[in-house]
Protein backbone atom coordinates (compact mmCIF):
# COMPACT_ATOMS: atom_id res chain seq x y z
CA UNK A 1 0.00 0.00 0.00
CA UNK A 2 1.23 3.42 -0.89
CA UNK A 3 2.18 5.60 2.03
CA UNK A 4 0.01 8.72 2.25
CA UNK A 5 0.79 11.73 4.33
CA UNK A 6 -1.88 12.99 6.69
CA UNK A 7 -1.25 16.45 5.29
CA UNK A 8 -2.65 15.32 1.95
CA UNK A 9 -6.03 14.53 3.37
CA UNK A 10 -8.23 17.47 2.34
CA UNK A 11 -9.87 18.30 5.68
CA UNK A 12 -6.58 18.76 7.50
CA UNK A 13 -5.80 22.46 7.43
CA UNK A 14 -2.45 23.47 6.03
CA UNK A 15 -1.55 26.46 8.08
CA UNK A 16 -4.64 28.19 6.87
CA UNK A 17 -8.04 28.65 8.39
CA UNK A 18 -10.99 27.23 6.51
CA UNK A 19 -12.72 30.02 4.55
CA UNK A 20 -15.73 30.37 6.85
CA UNK A 21 -13.53 30.83 9.94
CA UNK A 22 -11.23 33.21 8.10
CA UNK A 23 -14.30 35.25 7.18
CA UNK A 24 -15.46 35.33 10.80
CA UNK A 25 -11.98 36.33 11.94
CA UNK A 26 -11.47 39.18 9.50
CA UNK A 27 -14.97 40.52 8.84
CA UNK A 28 -17.98 41.76 10.75
CA UNK A 29 -20.99 40.25 9.02
CA UNK A 30 -23.89 42.67 8.89
CA UNK A 31 -27.07 40.64 8.70
CA UNK A 32 -30.54 42.13 8.44
CA UNK A 33 -31.18 41.54 12.14
CA UNK A 34 -27.81 42.27 13.74
CA UNK A 35 -24.09 42.38 13.07
CA UNK A 36 -22.34 39.12 13.94
CA UNK A 37 -18.70 38.23 14.66
CA UNK A 38 -18.09 41.82 15.67
CA UNK A 39 -15.47 40.95 18.31
CA UNK A 40 -11.84 40.76 17.35
CA UNK A 41 -10.12 37.44 17.94
CA UNK A 42 -7.03 38.53 19.82
CA UNK A 43 -5.94 35.43 21.73
CA UNK A 44 -2.85 33.90 20.14
CA UNK A 45 -4.04 30.37 20.82
CA UNK A 46 -7.57 30.88 19.52
CA UNK A 47 -7.02 28.37 16.71
CA UNK A 48 -4.37 26.27 18.45
CA UNK A 49 -6.47 23.10 18.18
CA UNK A 50 -6.35 23.45 14.40
CA UNK A 51 -2.61 23.96 14.42
CA UNK A 52 -2.91 27.59 13.45
CA UNK A 53 -1.01 30.32 15.22
CA UNK A 54 -3.09 33.45 15.76
CA UNK A 55 -0.24 35.44 17.32
CA UNK A 56 0.95 38.60 15.66
CA UNK A 57 4.66 38.83 15.20
CA UNK A 58 6.09 42.30 15.16
CA UNK A 59 7.87 41.94 11.81
CA UNK A 60 4.62 40.62 10.32
CA UNK A 61 2.80 43.67 11.58
CA UNK A 62 5.50 45.98 10.22
CA UNK A 63 5.29 44.36 6.78
CA UNK A 64 1.53 44.50 6.56
CA UNK A 65 0.71 47.84 8.16
CA UNK A 66 -0.16 50.58 5.68
CA UNK A 67 -1.37 54.16 5.78
CA UNK A 68 -3.12 55.74 2.81
CA UNK A 69 -3.98 59.40 2.91
CA UNK A 70 -7.27 60.21 1.26
CA UNK A 71 -7.58 63.91 1.97
CA UNK A 72 -5.47 66.44 3.79
CA UNK A 73 -6.31 70.10 4.25
CA UNK A 74 -5.38 72.72 6.79
CA UNK A 75 -7.84 71.52 9.42
CA UNK A 76 -9.08 68.14 8.27
CA UNK A 77 -7.66 64.87 7.20
CA UNK A 78 -8.96 61.47 6.24
CA UNK A 79 -6.73 58.46 5.96
CA UNK A 80 -6.91 54.69 5.90
CA UNK A 81 -5.06 52.71 8.51
CA UNK A 82 -4.75 49.12 7.36
CA UNK A 83 -3.52 46.13 9.32
CA UNK A 84 -3.96 47.30 12.91
CA UNK A 85 -6.20 46.08 15.71
CA UNK A 86 -9.17 48.12 16.83
CA UNK A 87 -7.75 48.44 20.35
CA UNK A 88 -4.72 50.37 19.11
CA UNK A 89 -6.71 52.45 16.61
CA UNK A 90 -9.09 53.30 19.43
CA UNK A 91 -6.18 54.27 21.68
CA UNK A 92 -5.08 56.82 19.06
CA UNK A 93 -8.61 58.18 18.80
CA UNK A 94 -8.97 58.48 22.57
CA UNK A 95 -5.61 60.23 22.87
CA UNK A 96 -6.50 62.65 20.07
CA UNK A 97 -9.65 63.70 21.88
CA UNK A 98 -8.46 63.78 25.47
CA UNK A 99 -4.71 63.70 25.91
CA UNK A 100 -3.01 66.11 23.53
CA UNK A 101 -2.42 69.47 25.20
CA UNK A 102 -3.60 72.75 23.74
CA UNK A 103 -3.88 76.30 25.04
CA UNK A 104 -7.29 77.56 26.14
CA UNK A 105 -8.60 80.44 28.19
CA UNK A 106 -8.95 79.28 31.78
CA UNK A 107 -9.15 82.41 33.89
CA UNK A 108 -11.20 85.55 33.34
CA UNK A 109 -10.57 88.71 35.32
CA UNK A 110 -13.86 90.51 35.00
CA UNK A 111 -13.49 94.27 35.39
CA UNK A 112 -16.90 95.32 34.22
CA UNK A 113 -19.82 93.51 32.69
CA UNK A 114 -23.11 95.33 32.29
CA UNK A 115 -24.28 93.17 29.40
CA UNK A 116 -27.26 90.83 29.68
CA UNK A 117 -24.98 87.78 29.73
CA UNK A 118 -24.02 86.74 33.24
CA UNK A 119 -20.31 86.75 34.14
CA UNK A 120 -20.06 82.97 34.42
CA UNK A 121 -21.83 82.30 31.12
CA UNK A 122 -19.68 84.89 29.36
CA UNK A 123 -16.51 83.42 30.86
CA UNK A 124 -17.52 79.94 29.73
CA UNK A 125 -18.19 81.17 26.19
CA UNK A 126 -14.80 82.87 26.02
CA UNK A 127 -13.10 79.74 27.34
CA UNK A 128 -14.36 77.71 24.39
CA UNK A 129 -12.82 79.98 21.72
CA UNK A 130 -10.03 78.10 19.91
CA UNK A 131 -6.65 79.82 19.98
CA UNK A 132 -4.24 79.72 17.06
CA UNK A 133 -1.07 78.93 18.96
CA UNK A 134 1.27 75.95 19.07
CA UNK A 135 0.89 74.44 22.58
CA UNK A 136 4.30 72.75 22.30
CA UNK A 137 5.91 76.15 22.84
CA UNK A 138 4.37 76.44 26.31
CA UNK A 139 4.72 74.80 29.69
CA UNK A 140 2.00 73.74 32.09
CA UNK A 141 1.11 76.20 34.82
CA UNK A 142 1.31 74.13 37.98
CA UNK A 143 -0.23 75.01 41.33
CA UNK A 144 2.55 77.10 42.86
CA UNK A 145 3.97 78.58 39.64
CA UNK A 146 3.43 82.21 38.97
CA UNK A 147 1.97 82.98 35.54
CA UNK A 148 4.83 83.94 33.24
CA UNK A 149 5.56 84.31 29.53
CA UNK A 150 6.30 80.55 29.25
CA UNK A 151 2.95 79.32 30.54
CA UNK A 152 0.32 82.02 30.11
CA UNK A 153 -1.20 84.00 27.27
CA UNK A 154 -3.14 87.11 28.17
CA UNK A 155 -5.94 88.64 26.12
CA UNK A 156 -7.92 91.80 26.75
CA UNK A 157 -11.50 92.48 25.82
CA UNK A 158 -12.88 95.97 26.21
CA UNK A 159 -16.00 96.92 24.29
CA UNK A 160 -18.78 99.31 25.01
CA UNK A 161 -21.90 100.30 23.16
CA UNK A 162 -22.66 103.97 22.77
CA UNK A 163 -25.73 105.21 24.65
CA UNK A 164 -27.26 106.60 21.50
CA UNK A 165 -25.95 103.98 19.09
CA UNK A 166 -27.41 100.74 17.80
CA UNK A 167 -26.81 97.40 19.52
CA UNK A 168 -23.44 95.86 18.77
CA UNK A 169 -22.20 92.30 18.42
CA UNK A 170 -18.97 91.43 20.21
CA UNK A 171 -16.97 88.98 18.15
CA UNK A 172 -13.84 87.02 19.00
CA UNK A 173 -11.60 89.41 17.02
CA UNK A 174 -12.18 91.98 19.77
CA UNK A 175 -9.98 89.90 22.05
CA UNK A 176 -6.58 91.57 21.88
CA UNK A 177 -3.37 89.76 22.74
CA UNK A 178 -1.29 91.37 25.48
CA UNK A 179 2.28 90.16 24.88
CA UNK A 180 3.46 91.95 28.00
CA UNK A 181 1.09 90.15 30.31
CA UNK A 182 -1.67 91.38 32.54
CA UNK A 183 -2.36 95.11 32.70
CA UNK A 184 -4.48 94.81 35.83
CA UNK A 185 -3.02 95.50 39.24
CA UNK A 186 -3.55 93.30 42.26
CA UNK A 187 -5.13 94.95 45.30
CA UNK A 188 -2.45 95.28 47.96
CA UNK A 189 -2.97 95.91 51.68
CA UNK A 190 0.04 98.19 51.68
CA UNK A 191 -0.71 101.26 49.50
CA UNK A 192 2.92 102.37 49.38
CA UNK A 193 4.16 99.08 47.90
CA UNK A 194 4.81 98.86 44.18
CA UNK A 195 1.61 97.56 42.55
CA UNK A 196 1.85 93.99 41.28
CA UNK A 197 0.09 92.74 38.17
CA UNK A 198 -1.64 89.36 37.88
CA UNK A 199 1.19 87.96 35.80
CA UNK A 200 4.93 88.18 36.18
CA UNK A 201 6.35 88.25 32.66
CA UNK A 202 10.12 88.72 32.51
CA UNK A 203 9.94 89.78 28.88
CA UNK A 204 7.40 90.52 26.22
CA UNK A 205 6.12 87.45 24.38
CA UNK A 206 6.45 89.14 20.99
CA UNK A 207 10.19 89.52 21.59
CA UNK A 208 10.47 85.70 21.77
CA UNK A 209 11.63 84.21 18.46
CA UNK A 210 8.64 81.82 18.31
CA UNK A 211 6.08 84.60 18.29
CA UNK A 212 7.89 87.54 16.71
CA UNK A 213 6.95 86.37 13.20
CA UNK A 214 3.63 84.82 14.06
CA UNK A 215 1.71 86.77 16.66
CA UNK A 216 -0.66 84.80 18.89
CA UNK A 217 -4.25 85.16 17.83
CA UNK A 218 -7.54 83.39 17.54
CA UNK A 219 -8.36 80.71 15.02
CA UNK A 220 -11.68 82.26 14.04
CA UNK A 221 -12.33 85.98 14.16
CA UNK A 222 -16.09 85.79 13.76
CA UNK A 223 -17.25 83.87 16.81
CA UNK A 224 -20.02 85.79 18.54
CA UNK A 225 -19.12 86.31 22.19
CA UNK A 226 -21.91 88.62 23.35
CA UNK A 227 -24.32 91.31 22.22
CA UNK A 228 -24.40 94.73 23.82
CA UNK A 229 -27.31 97.12 24.08
CA UNK A 230 -26.90 100.92 24.29
CA UNK A 231 -24.84 101.91 27.31
CA UNK A 232 -23.64 98.38 28.09
CA UNK A 233 -19.99 97.51 28.47
CA UNK A 234 -17.71 94.53 28.88
CA UNK A 235 -14.17 94.88 30.17
CA UNK A 236 -12.16 91.83 31.06
CA UNK A 237 -8.85 90.07 30.83
CA UNK A 238 -8.56 86.45 29.74
CA UNK A 239 -5.67 84.21 30.75
CA UNK A 240 -5.02 81.13 28.62
CA UNK A 241 -3.02 78.19 29.94
CA UNK A 242 -2.01 74.77 28.70
CA UNK A 243 -4.27 71.86 29.51
CA UNK A 244 -5.66 68.49 28.45
CA UNK A 245 -8.99 67.56 26.91
CA UNK A 246 -9.73 65.16 29.75
CA UNK A 247 -9.87 68.10 32.15
CA UNK A 248 -12.23 70.11 29.98
CA UNK A 249 -13.27 69.77 26.33
CA UNK A 250 -12.02 73.30 25.56
CA UNK A 251 -8.49 71.85 25.64
CA UNK A 252 -9.36 69.15 23.13
CA UNK A 253 -7.33 69.78 19.95
CA UNK A 254 -9.96 68.18 17.73
CA UNK A 255 -13.54 69.05 16.93
CA UNK A 256 -13.80 65.34 16.66
CA UNK A 257 -11.69 62.36 15.68
CA UNK A 258 -13.35 59.16 14.57
CA UNK A 259 -12.94 56.04 12.56
CA UNK A 260 -15.10 53.46 10.87
CA UNK A 261 -14.28 50.06 9.51
CA UNK A 262 -14.13 49.76 5.74
CA UNK A 263 -17.48 48.53 4.41
CA UNK A 264 -17.37 45.58 2.07
CA UNK A 265 -20.31 44.81 -0.16
CA UNK A 266 -20.27 41.51 -2.01
CA UNK A 267 -22.74 40.12 -4.54
CA UNK A 268 -23.09 36.45 -3.66
CA UNK A 269 -24.73 35.64 -6.98
CA UNK A 270 -25.22 37.44 -10.29
CA UNK A 271 -27.95 40.03 -9.96
CA UNK A 272 -29.41 40.66 -13.39
CA UNK A 273 -32.31 42.24 -15.20
CA UNK A 274 -35.07 43.79 -13.12
CA UNK A 275 -33.42 42.68 -9.90
CA UNK A 276 -30.34 44.66 -10.84
CA UNK A 277 -32.41 47.79 -11.39
CA UNK A 278 -34.21 47.20 -8.10
CA UNK A 279 -30.91 46.82 -6.26
CA UNK A 280 -29.54 50.06 -7.69
CA UNK A 281 -32.71 51.86 -6.58
CA UNK A 282 -32.69 50.28 -3.10
CA UNK A 283 -29.37 51.83 -2.10
CA UNK A 284 -29.70 55.45 -0.89
CA UNK A 285 -25.98 56.19 -1.29
CA UNK A 286 -25.51 54.64 -4.75
CA UNK A 287 -23.16 51.81 -3.88
CA UNK A 288 -24.40 49.77 -6.83
CA UNK A 289 -24.44 50.41 -10.55
CA UNK A 290 -26.12 48.44 -13.27
CA UNK A 291 -24.14 47.85 -16.40
CA UNK A 292 -25.25 46.38 -19.69
CA UNK A 293 -23.75 42.96 -20.15
CA UNK A 294 -22.51 43.04 -23.75
CA UNK A 295 -22.73 39.29 -24.25
CA UNK A 296 -26.31 38.80 -23.17
CA UNK A 297 -27.67 42.32 -23.47
CA UNK A 298 -29.07 42.03 -19.96
CA UNK A 299 -28.50 44.50 -17.17
CA UNK A 300 -26.15 43.34 -14.45
CA UNK A 301 -25.52 44.88 -11.03
CA UNK A 302 -21.99 45.60 -9.85
CA UNK A 303 -20.64 47.04 -6.61
CA UNK A 304 -19.26 50.37 -7.78
CA UNK A 305 -18.60 52.30 -4.61
CA UNK A 306 -18.53 50.17 -1.44
CA UNK A 307 -16.76 52.92 0.54
CA UNK A 308 -19.91 55.05 0.43
CA UNK A 309 -21.89 52.31 2.18
CA UNK A 310 -23.35 53.46 5.49
CA UNK A 311 -24.48 49.93 6.41
CA UNK A 312 -28.09 50.97 6.37
CA UNK A 313 -28.82 47.41 5.15
CA UNK A 314 -31.57 48.58 2.80
CA UNK A 315 -30.04 46.33 0.14
CA UNK A 316 -30.59 43.16 2.15
CA UNK A 317 -34.13 44.02 3.19
CA UNK A 318 -36.89 41.93 1.68
CA UNK A 319 -37.38 38.35 0.57
CA UNK A 320 -34.31 36.68 -0.86
CA UNK A 321 -31.96 39.63 -0.78
CA UNK A 322 -29.78 38.33 2.00
CA UNK A 323 -28.86 35.41 -0.24
CA UNK A 324 -27.83 37.77 -3.04
CA UNK A 325 -25.96 40.54 -1.23
CA UNK A 326 -23.59 40.40 1.76
CA UNK A 327 -22.72 43.53 3.70
CA UNK A 328 -19.59 43.25 5.82
CA UNK A 329 -16.94 45.36 7.49
CA UNK A 330 -13.22 44.71 7.32
CA UNK A 331 -11.99 44.41 10.91
CA UNK A 332 -8.45 45.67 10.42
CA UNK A 333 -9.08 48.50 7.95
CA UNK A 334 -9.94 51.82 9.55
CA UNK A 335 -11.09 54.95 7.80
CA UNK A 336 -9.80 57.55 10.22
CA UNK A 337 -10.93 61.15 10.20
CA UNK A 338 -9.44 64.00 12.20
CA UNK A 339 -11.00 67.44 12.37
CA UNK A 340 -8.60 69.83 14.07
CA UNK A 341 -9.79 72.91 15.91
CA UNK A 342 -6.80 74.75 14.47
CA UNK A 343 -4.08 74.84 17.10
CA UNK A 344 -2.13 72.13 15.30
CA UNK A 345 -2.61 70.70 11.81
CA UNK A 346 -4.27 67.26 11.78
CA UNK A 347 -1.21 65.32 10.59
CA UNK A 348 0.84 66.75 13.46
CA UNK A 349 -1.95 65.86 15.89
CA UNK A 350 -1.84 62.22 14.85
CA UNK A 351 1.94 62.04 15.21
CA UNK A 352 1.62 63.63 18.63
CA UNK A 353 -1.07 61.11 19.60
CA UNK A 354 1.21 58.21 18.69
CA UNK A 355 4.01 59.83 20.69
CA UNK A 356 1.70 60.07 23.72
CA UNK A 357 1.03 56.32 23.52
CA UNK A 358 4.78 55.67 23.23
CA UNK A 359 5.37 57.81 26.32
CA UNK A 360 2.73 55.86 28.24
CA UNK A 361 4.47 52.57 27.39
CA UNK A 362 7.85 54.03 28.29
CA UNK A 363 6.56 55.29 31.62
CA UNK A 364 5.13 51.94 32.67
CA UNK A 365 8.22 50.02 31.48
CA UNK A 366 10.52 52.27 33.51
CA UNK A 367 8.21 52.06 36.54
CA UNK A 368 8.39 48.26 36.44
CA UNK A 369 12.14 47.98 36.08
CA UNK B 1 2.65 48.69 41.22
CA UNK B 2 2.78 44.92 40.97
CA UNK B 3 0.66 42.61 43.09
CA UNK B 4 1.95 39.07 42.84
CA UNK B 5 3.32 36.30 44.94
CA UNK B 6 6.96 35.57 45.68
CA UNK B 7 6.57 31.83 45.25
CA UNK B 8 4.64 32.01 42.00
CA UNK B 9 5.93 34.55 39.52
CA UNK B 10 3.70 33.26 36.76
CA UNK B 11 0.75 35.42 37.66
CA UNK B 12 0.50 39.02 38.74
CA UNK B 13 -1.83 41.95 38.78
CA UNK B 14 -0.37 45.27 37.73
CA UNK B 15 -2.06 48.34 39.11
CA UNK B 16 -1.38 51.42 37.00
CA UNK B 17 -2.20 54.88 38.24
CA UNK B 18 -3.37 57.64 35.84
CA UNK B 19 -4.12 55.21 33.05
CA UNK B 20 -7.38 54.13 31.47
CA UNK B 21 -8.77 52.05 28.59
CA UNK B 22 -6.39 53.82 26.20
CA UNK B 23 -3.33 51.96 27.44
CA UNK B 24 -4.99 48.99 29.14
CA UNK B 25 -6.96 47.84 26.13
CA UNK B 26 -3.98 48.19 23.78
CA UNK B 27 -1.72 46.31 26.18
CA UNK B 28 -4.32 43.62 26.59
CA UNK B 29 -4.18 43.21 22.82
CA UNK B 30 -0.39 42.86 22.71
CA UNK B 31 -0.48 40.53 25.73
CA UNK B 32 -3.07 38.33 24.05
CA UNK B 33 -0.87 38.09 20.98
CA UNK B 34 1.95 36.64 23.06
CA UNK B 35 1.87 32.81 23.10
CA UNK B 36 3.35 32.79 26.62
CA UNK B 37 0.19 34.36 28.02
CA UNK B 38 -2.38 31.98 29.43
CA UNK B 39 -4.80 34.63 30.58
CA UNK B 40 -4.94 38.39 30.63
CA UNK B 41 -7.56 40.99 31.29
CA UNK B 42 -8.03 44.41 32.77
CA UNK B 43 -10.51 46.20 34.96
CA UNK B 44 -11.14 49.70 36.21
CA UNK B 45 -12.21 49.12 39.82
CA UNK B 46 -13.94 52.45 40.21
CA UNK B 47 -14.80 54.99 37.50
CA UNK B 48 -13.83 58.01 39.56
CA UNK B 49 -10.42 56.62 40.43
CA UNK B 50 -7.76 56.92 37.70
CA UNK B 51 -6.48 53.40 38.03
CA UNK B 52 -6.50 50.20 35.98
CA UNK B 53 -5.67 46.72 37.12
CA UNK B 54 -4.11 44.47 34.51
CA UNK B 55 -4.06 40.75 35.28
CA UNK B 56 -1.42 38.60 33.58
CA UNK B 57 -1.13 34.82 33.95
CA UNK B 58 1.53 33.03 31.96
CA UNK B 59 2.35 29.46 31.02
CA UNK B 60 5.63 29.63 32.96
CA UNK B 61 7.59 32.82 32.36
CA UNK B 62 7.57 35.59 34.97
CA UNK B 63 4.44 37.70 34.47
CA UNK B 64 6.43 40.90 34.90
CA UNK B 65 8.76 40.10 32.02
CA UNK B 66 5.88 39.10 29.76
CA UNK B 67 4.03 42.29 30.65
CA UNK B 68 7.12 44.38 29.96
CA UNK B 69 7.57 42.64 26.60
CA UNK B 70 3.96 43.40 25.73
CA UNK B 71 4.52 47.08 26.50
CA UNK B 72 7.72 47.00 24.47
CA UNK B 73 5.83 45.45 21.55
CA UNK B 74 3.18 48.15 21.76
CA UNK B 75 5.92 50.76 21.82
CA UNK B 76 7.58 49.35 18.71
CA UNK B 77 4.21 49.09 16.98
CA UNK B 78 3.50 52.75 17.74
CA UNK B 79 6.90 53.81 16.46
CA UNK B 80 6.27 51.90 13.25
CA UNK B 81 2.81 53.50 12.91
CA UNK B 82 4.36 56.93 13.33
CA UNK B 83 7.12 56.47 10.75
CA UNK B 84 4.67 54.89 8.28
CA UNK B 85 2.21 57.73 8.82
CA UNK B 86 4.84 60.45 8.45
CA UNK B 87 6.11 58.85 5.26
CA UNK B 88 2.56 58.63 3.90
CA UNK B 89 2.06 62.36 4.60
CA UNK B 90 5.33 63.17 2.85
CA UNK B 91 4.41 61.04 -0.16
CA UNK B 92 0.98 62.65 -0.32
CA UNK B 93 2.52 66.12 -0.33
CA UNK B 94 5.07 65.10 -2.95
CA UNK B 95 2.34 64.36 -5.46
CA UNK B 96 2.00 67.46 -7.63
CA UNK B 97 -1.80 67.71 -7.51
CA UNK B 98 -1.73 67.69 -3.71
CA UNK B 99 0.68 70.58 -3.25
CA UNK B 100 -2.15 73.08 -3.08
CA UNK B 101 -5.06 72.05 -0.91
CA UNK B 102 -8.65 73.09 -1.35
CA UNK B 103 -7.95 75.94 1.06
CA UNK B 104 -4.82 77.02 -0.76
CA UNK B 105 -2.43 76.01 2.00
CA UNK B 106 -0.55 72.72 2.39
Amino acid sequence: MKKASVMDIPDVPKGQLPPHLELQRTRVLCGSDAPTHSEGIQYSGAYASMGIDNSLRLDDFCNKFRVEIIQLTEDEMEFDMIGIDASVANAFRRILIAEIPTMAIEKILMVNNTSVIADDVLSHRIGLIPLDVDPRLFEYLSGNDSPNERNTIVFKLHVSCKKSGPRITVKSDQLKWLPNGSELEMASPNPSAKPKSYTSFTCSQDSLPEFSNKPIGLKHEDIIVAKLGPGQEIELEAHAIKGLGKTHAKWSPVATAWYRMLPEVVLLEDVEGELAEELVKKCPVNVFEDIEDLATGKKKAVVANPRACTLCRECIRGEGWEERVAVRRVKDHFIFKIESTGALPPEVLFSEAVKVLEDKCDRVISELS
Amino acid sequence: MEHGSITDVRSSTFSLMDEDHTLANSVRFTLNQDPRVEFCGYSIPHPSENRVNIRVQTTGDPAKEVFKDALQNLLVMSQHVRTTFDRAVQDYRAQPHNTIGSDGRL
Side-chain angles (χ1 to χ4, degrees):
Chain A
M1 201 179 123
K2 215 182 129 201
K3 249 189 182 174
S5 162
V6 271
M7 294 308 283
D8 291 337
I9 302 169
D11 16 355
V12 173
K14 291 167 185 165
Q16 235 180 0
L17 280 176
H20 70 289
L21 286 182
E22 184 63 16
L23 190 71
Q24 291 174 6
R25 192 180 72 85
T26 58
R27 302 288 189 271
V28 178
L29 309 179
C30 301
S32 54
D33 48 352
T36 46
H37 307 293
S38 51
E39 80 289 1
I41 292 162
Q42 296 183 341
Y43 179 46
S44 61
Y47 303 110
S49 61
M50 310 178 76
I52 289 156
D53 180 17
N54 191 41
S55 70
L56 177 83
R57 276 181 304 276
L58 222 45
D59 50 339
D60 247 14
F61 166 79
C62 291
N63 288 334
K64 288 198 184 126
F65 180 74
R66 278 189 299 137
V67 170
E68 277 167 24
I69 291 172
I70 308 296
Q71 179 216 9
L72 175 60
T73 62
E74 190 181 349
D75 291 332
E76 274 181 41
M77 91 180 290
E78 184 177 318
F79 62 96
D80 285 19
M81 217 172 12
I82 305 149
I84 198 164
D85 190 73
S87 58
V88 186
N90 192 41
F92 296 145
R93 183 194 63 84
R94 285 173 63 94
I95 293 171
L96 276 167
I97 292 171
E99 295 187 58
I100 296 178
T102 58
M103 302 295 288
I105 292 166
E106 166 70 354
K107 215 186 251 174
I108 303 276
L109 306 177
M110 196 73 73
V111 179
N112 188 14
N113 175 21
T114 53
S115 76
V116 289
I117 303 184
D119 290 4
D120 48 348
V121 179
L122 180 64
S123 307
H124 181 245
R125 286 182 70 81
I126 292 172
L128 294 170
I129 297 172
L131 305 178
D132 186 16
V133 54
D134 189 339
R136 292 171 294 183
L137 303 171
F138 286 87
E139 291 158 7
Y140 288 100
L141 173 69
S142 60
N144 36 14
D145 273 356
S146 62
N148 63 37
E149 73 282 356
R150 287 261 138 243
N151 56 31
T152 306
I153 308 170
V154 184
F155 292 93
K156 181 173 90 171
L157 178 70
H158 190 183
V159 277
S160 53
C161 186
K162 275 200 220 92
K163 273 228 167 75
S164 54
R167 279 188 296 250
I168 59 166
T169 305
V170 183
K171 294 200 171 161
S172 51
D173 64 334
Q174 304 266 14
L175 277 164
K176 294 281 176 267
W177 176 39
L178 299 178
N180 287 304
S182 177
E183 289 173 347
L184 299 174
E185 283 163 10
M186 266 193 228
S188 153
N190 181 2
S192 59
K194 195 172 164 264
K196 261 178 74 184
S197 98
Y198 282 87
T199 54
S200 34
F201 281 25
T202 54
C203 67
S204 166
Q205 274 171 336
D206 55 7
S207 70
L208 298 170
E210 302 92 287
F211 309 118
S212 51
N213 298 324
K214 192 180 174 294
I216 297 170
L218 298 129
K219 178 66 188 172
H220 306 282
E221 310 251 276
D222 55 350
I223 300 171
I224 296 174
V225 177
K227 291 195 175 185
L228 296 182
Q232 295 178 348
E233 186 182 10
I234 294 175
E235 185 181 357
L236 57 84
E237 221 175 67
H239 292 205
I241 60 167
K242 191 169 169 173
L244 293 177
K246 60 180 167 188
T247 316
H248 190 289
K250 66 184 173 185
W251 279 298
S252 183
V254 290
T256 187
W258 53 273
Y259 58 75
R260 62 190 179 116
M261 283 179 269
L262 180 77
E264 184 185 63
V265 185
V266 179
L267 295 177
L268 301 173
E269 56 182 60
D270 283 347
V271 180
E272 292 172 328
E274 278 177 25
L275 281 176
E277 280 175 38
E278 193 188 334
L279 182 62
V280 173
K281 271 202 208 117
K282 266 160 110 60
C283 180
V285 287
N286 301 321
V287 166
F288 305 99
E289 249 174 40
D290 49 354
I291 50 162
E292 204 94 26
D293 196 325
L294 288 175
T296 57
K298 273 213 263 173
K299 284 216 167 147
K300 194 174 169 232
V302 288
V303 183
N305 188 14
R307 214 183 152 86
C309 180
T310 58
L311 287 113
C312 66
R313 293 172 290 165
E314 269 304 305
C315 52
I316 52 172
R317 206 165 70 148
E319 193 82 16
W321 280 103
E322 233 174 321
E323 285 77 56
R324 296 185 194 112
V325 185
V327 184
R328 304 171 186 154
R329 308 199 118 181
V330 184
K331 275 183 197 170
D332 69 344
H333 186 136
F334 298 95
I335 301 171
F336 214 103
K337 182 126 189 187
I338 302 172
E339 294 177 13
S340 164
T341 53
L344 291 171
E347 74 278 10
V348 177
L349 283 177
F350 188 78
S351 294
E352 290 292 312
V354 182
K355 272 186 218 162
V356 170
L357 188 63
E358 287 169 26
D359 290 346
K360 279 172 182 284
C361 293
D362 258 338
R363 204 204 81 188
V364 179
I365 290 173
S366 61
E367 259 176 39
L368 285 173
S369 27
Chain B
M1 193 180 17
E2 184 181 356
H3 300 277
S5 102
I6 300 167
T7 49
D8 185 8
V9 291
R10 293 179 305 171
S11 54
S12 272
T13 300
F14 300 91
S15 190
L16 309 180
M17 285 301 294
D18 297 321
E19 292 298 347
D20 55 7
H21 299 281
T22 305
L23 184 71
N25 197 20
S26 321
V27 166
R28 187 184 59 172
F29 163 70
T30 47
L31 274 168
N32 261 325
Q33 295 290 346
D34 192 328
R36 292 173 297 172
V37 174
E38 190 178 61
F39 170 83
C40 73
Y42 78 91
S43 74
I44 295 178
H46 194 279
S48 57
E49 202 186 0
N50 293 325
R51 172 195 295 279
V52 283
N53 292 339
I54 302 176
R55 177 73 180 167
V56 183
Q57 289 172 213
T58 72
T59 51
D61 297 75
K64 190 177 169 182
E65 296 310 312
V66 173
F67 184 54
K68 267 205 272 188
D69 286 351
L71 284 161
Q72 190 63 41
N73 280 353
L74 183 61
L75 181 73
V76 176
M77 271 173 81
S78 310
Q79 281 165 346
H80 180 72
V81 168
R82 189 149 58 92
T83 48
T84 312
F85 178 82
D86 287 345
R87 203 176 313 127
V89 171
Q90 265 176 27
D91 291 350
Y92 182 83
R93 291 229 166 108
Q95 289 165 33
H97 60 276
N98 291 329
T99 46
I100 295 166
S102 57
D103 56 341
R105 215 186 75 146
L106 276 195

